[in-house]
Amino acid sequence: MVSHPNVLAVQAALENADARTHDGGTPRMVVFDEGVHTAAAAAAALGVEVGQIANSLIFDADGEPLLVLTSGAHRVDTRKVAAALGVAKLGRATPEFVRAHTGQAIGGVAPLGHPKPVRTLVDTALAQYPEIWAAGGVPQVVFPITYAELLRVTGGTATEVA
């Protein structure tokens, strides 16, 4: 699974950004036998709190993609986010829209490694954890990173999204 093109793109993006984990190391891909399609499943598989999982959610913001990296313990308040961004309509994207803008399928969307940059918001609730986990481009792969590094490597904006 680590040789999947999506995983390779994510790993390359992490390396190109010189991303670091909480202990100063390079993020490593962790591969599961089966996909972990929910934050609860990923947290259970990793033995961490559900809030440490950075869910990667793509929204359609007036026809443009918006990636919201939210704590697995939260639900995105789309009205609040839409108002903060000044968009008229913010809705969950279709699987086709997600794949067109990220090259990845729902359930495995990574915070980076997309064909071109996607506007990104990063849930401030993730900041409380020294280590967070994000999808690696497919549902069976995740990687660790810190909140500060997640903001930096994605060019994301720290935002209260819940």
Side-chain angles (χ1 to χ4, degrees):
M1 196 48 62
V2 292
S3 62
H4 189 285
N6 289 350
V7 178
L8 293 174
V10 173
Q11 187 67 57
L14 289 167
E15 290 171 7
N16 290 339
D18 196 29
R20 296 287 167 228
T21 60
H22 72 287
D23 61 4
T26 302
R28 71 194 186 295
M29 297 294 170
V30 175
V31 180
F32 299 110
D33 290 335
E34 295 182 20
V36 286
H37 296 277
T38 67
L46 292 164
V48 299
E49 293 180 42
V50 72
Q52 288 178 258
I53 305 301
N55 281 336
S56 299
L57 305 174
I58 296 287
F59 290 90
D60 182 335
D62 289 342
E64 294 297 320
L66 173 70
L67 172 59
V68 178
L69 301 171
T70 187
S71 167
H74 287 153
R75 286 203 169 273
V76 174
D77 181 337
T78 55
R79 288 186 186 134
K80 180 180 189 175
V81 172
L85 295 176
V87 298
K89 185 177 179 183
L90 181 70
R92 267 319 235 317
T94 65
E96 297 79 20
F97 186 91
V98 172
R99 191 174 294 277
H101 292 284
T102 68
Q104 303 163 358
I106 292 173
V109 174
L112 67 175
H114 311 134
K116 63 181 188 176
V118 176
R119 183 177 188 183
T120 303
L121 304 180
V122 184
D123 188 352
T124 55
L126 289 165
Q128 68 185 299
Y129 301 103
E131 179 178 66
I132 50 184
W133 291 84
V138 295
Q140 299 90 344
V141 178
V142 296
F143 67 91
I145 194 163
T146 67
Y147 182 76
E149 282 292 90
L150 189 60
L151 281 169
R152 184 182 69 79
V153 302
T154 62
T157 303
T159 307
E160 188 177 307
V161 299

